[in-house]
Amino acid sequence: MSVRYALLGLLAQHPRHGYELHAAFEAVVGGERIWDVKPAQIYTTLARLQDGGLVSPEAVKQDGGPEKRIYALTASGRTELDQWFDSGVDREHHRDEFFVKLMLSLAMPEINPRRVIQNQRLRLFKDLHSQTAARARLNPKTGLAQILLFDKAIMHLEADLRWLDMVEARLEDVQRQPLPQPEARPRGRPRKPRAGPTPA
Amino acid sequence: MSVRYALLGLLAQHPRHGYELHAAFEAVVGGERIWDVKPAQIYTTLARLQDGGLVSPEAVKQDGGPEKRIYALTASGRTELDQWFDSGVDREHHRDEFFVKLMLSLAMPEINPRRVIQNQRLRLFKDLHSQTAARARLNPKTGLAQILLFDKAIMHLEADLRWLDMVEARLEDVQRQPLPQPEARPRGRPRKPRAGPTPA
DNA sequence: GGTGCCATGTAACGCGTTACATGATTAT
DNA sequence: ATAATCATGTAACGCGTTACATGGCACC
């Protein structure tokens, strides 16, 4: 949802057309090397926003070049933006690909989970190194954005590495524990369908 | 891409039908409270895999109940799965919604970035608390999956909090620094189109 | 007969990506 | 002419989500 709200925010500054939004987005977010937004996404998102009445086309300019359709934030767009600023961002769900891989490797006798873990550790080290190097290469006047993003990435990579160590340690305890199979429940109405939506 | 490979992995154990895959996935990944996969996704992903020739329908069973279409892994499916196990998982890109929010708040005079940060910090503390509590509530025989996921989530929340502190400290240095505007580059061919793809 | 599980999906949408198409302007 | 930027999109696909539709079977 980042792009959606980014467009609302940029249009809150002043009305713009698609190409300008694209450029402004990359300027805010730190340049194309950091976050490469495709023009297609700008235009489709803009269309969806217009559909929802959050932005509306204002005018078409032609200063010697091609047409520029200028979009502006509507009242409900402004409302949505303000609500966004006032709320915390949900943790993006931990639908973690490596976690699935690890659990599957435990369930498949022909796959060695240690190797899977070691693979991932090497990858993380490599990433950590390249991020650290890239961060060091920044000159200070590059602007905040890159620095902050690199720092965040590095901190999360470190967290991942620590987590991997923990996983390995825990695997030594529960050596080759069989996967929890979904017990074949009997059909029909359950014996005790009691309990509220969230039992305390 | 987690579900895609999870299905390949589960079918590598033995052929299954859609409903069974759904149940097995949730068993592997820790139950519905942790990772709620919708049946629709199982079936559509299965269809895509069949399209790509990675799985193929094997038989249709009818043991007194409805039809069950049994799918099996093909040779190329097995190959893809093995490659997946042998490779590291890419860091999912840091397309971070909060980061966009922060950068926009710096660019918009009517929004106070301190408040945005404080909002997010409160949210993270709340999440951290609820995750820690949920983790403590686990009984040890619940299986590895939940424990590991909670630990990972907690470690990343702590990293996010540390990062927020860093951001705040850095903002004190560069008070209300104007956003880097995309400098209006002259049209036409650039003066010095020299330089390789990654200049040293 | 109702509820709830077993088992199958389809439809439509949101976000994001790659690839493609069009055309004008301007510097060399 | 050619290349590069300015500026607009469309089409198709992958992944994920919500909502809806269908039907048999078993238990009470």
Side-chain angles (χ1 to χ4, degrees):
Chain A
M1 318 242 22
S2 317
V3 174
R4 177 190 171 86
Y5 289 109
L7 295 190
L8 292 182
L10 291 171
L11 290 180
Q13 295 182 308
H14 55 86
R16 302 176 194 249
H17 55 97
Y19 192 90
E20 215 184 330
L21 283 167
H22 182 251
F25 183 89
E26 298 218 314
V28 165
V29 104
E32 28 177 326
R33 319 180 154 214
I34 307 292
W35 189 330
D36 182 31
V37 204
K38 322 297 184 201
Q41 196 181 348
I42 302 290
Y43 292 111
T44 52
T45 303
L46 214 38
R48 273 194 297 271
L49 288 174
Q50 187 183 346
D51 241 54
L54 304 181
V55 309
S56 69
E58 246 203 353
V60 177
K61 240 194 247 175
Q62 252 162 322
D63 49 359
E67 293 194 340
K68 302 171 191 180
R69 293 171 212 183
I70 314 286
Y71 289 88
L73 202 61
T74 64
S76 53
R78 182 76 222 191
T79 306
E80 177 130 345
L81 181 62
D82 288 338
Q83 282 171 0
W84 183 62
F85 272 121
D86 262 358
S87 65
V89 171
D90 286 335
R91 289 193 312 114
E92 40 248 41
H93 25 309
H94 36 321
R95 274 124 172 72
D96 182 344
E97 190 175 325
F98 174 74
F99 177 72
V100 171
K101 192 190 280 197
L102 177 65
M103 288 297 124
L104 279 174
S105 77
L106 292 173
M108 295 171 69
E110 71 265 39
I111 304 287
N112 181 357
R114 301 305 181 94
R115 233 186 99 190
V116 169
I117 291 174
Q118 193 50 21
N119 259 335
Q120 186 66 8
R121 201 198 310 274
L122 289 178
R123 162 69 65 112
L124 290 174
F125 270 127
K126 232 185 63 188
D127 286 350
L128 184 57
H129 179 265
S130 82
Q131 293 291 119
T132 308
R135 192 201 179 287
R137 230 183 293 116
L138 291 176
N139 52 349
K141 67 174 235 302
T142 328
L144 227 30
Q146 281 97 329
I147 298 173
L148 295 181
L149 276 180
F150 277 122
D151 283 339
K152 180 160 190 181
I154 289 168
M155 290 166 92
H156 277 266
L157 283 170
E158 287 168 347
D160 282 331
L161 281 165
R162 271 182 284 122
W163 182 72
L164 265 194
D165 291 340
M166 236 194 46
V167 170
E168 218 165 22
R170 223 176 265 282
L171 283 191
E172 272 164 33
D173 298 351
V174 248
Q175 271 297 11
R176 187 59 43 136
Q177 195 194 36
L179 260 195
Q181 292 298 330
E183 70 272 18
R185 272 164 297 177
R187 289 174 166 220
R189 203 171 163 203
R191 292 98 197 77
K192 291 203 162 231
R194 281 290 58 99
T198 19
Chain B
M1 317 240 25
S2 318
V3 173
R4 177 189 171 86
Y5 288 109
L7 296 189
L8 292 181
L10 292 171
L11 290 180
Q13 295 183 307
H14 56 86
R16 301 176 197 248
H17 54 97
Y19 192 89
E20 215 183 331
L21 284 167
H22 181 252
F25 183 89
E26 299 217 315
V28 165
V29 103
E32 27 175 328
R33 324 187 148 205
I34 307 293
W35 189 331
D36 184 29
V37 204
K38 322 297 186 205
Q41 196 182 347
I42 302 291
Y43 291 111
T44 53
T45 304
L46 214 38
R48 274 194 297 269
L49 288 174
Q50 188 184 344
D51 242 53
L54 304 180
V55 309
S56 69
E58 246 203 352
V60 178
K61 239 194 249 177
Q62 252 162 322
D63 50 358
E67 291 195 341
K68 302 171 189 176
R69 292 171 212 184
I70 314 286
Y71 289 88
L73 201 62
T74 65
S76 54
R78 182 75 222 192
T79 306
E80 177 130 345
L81 182 61
D82 288 339
Q83 282 170 0
W84 183 61
F85 272 121
D86 263 358
S87 66
V89 171
D90 286 333
R91 289 193 315 111
E92 40 247 42
H93 23 309
H94 35 323
R95 275 120 172 74
D96 184 344
E97 190 175 324
F98 174 73
F99 177 72
V100 171
K101 192 190 280 196
L102 177 64
M103 287 298 124
L104 279 174
S105 78
L106 291 173
M108 296 171 67
E110 71 265 40
I111 303 286
N112 182 358
R114 300 307 181 95
R115 232 186 99 190
V116 169
I117 291 174
Q118 192 51 21
N119 260 336
Q120 186 66 6
R121 203 199 307 275
L122 289 178
R123 161 68 64 113
L124 290 175
F125 270 128
K126 230 185 65 188
D127 286 350
L128 184 58
H129 179 264
S130 81
Q131 293 291 118
T132 308
R135 192 200 180 286
R137 231 184 291 113
L138 291 177
N139 52 350
K141 67 175 235 300
T142 329
L144 227 32
Q146 281 96 330
I147 297 173
L148 295 180
L149 277 180
F150 277 121
D151 283 338
K152 181 162 190 180
I154 289 169
M155 289 166 92
H156 277 267
L157 283 170
E158 287 168 347
D160 281 332
L161 281 165
R162 270 182 284 123
W163 182 72
L164 266 194
D165 290 341
M166 236 194 48
V167 170
E168 219 165 21
R170 222 176 264 283
L171 284 191
E172 270 164 37
D173 299 351
V174 246
Q175 272 296 12
R176 187 60 42 137
Q177 195 194 38
L179 259 195
Q181 293 296 331
E183 69 274 17
R185 274 166 294 178
R187 288 173 169 222
R189 201 172 167 203
R191 292 97 198 76
K192 289 203 160 227
R194 281 290 57 97
T198 19

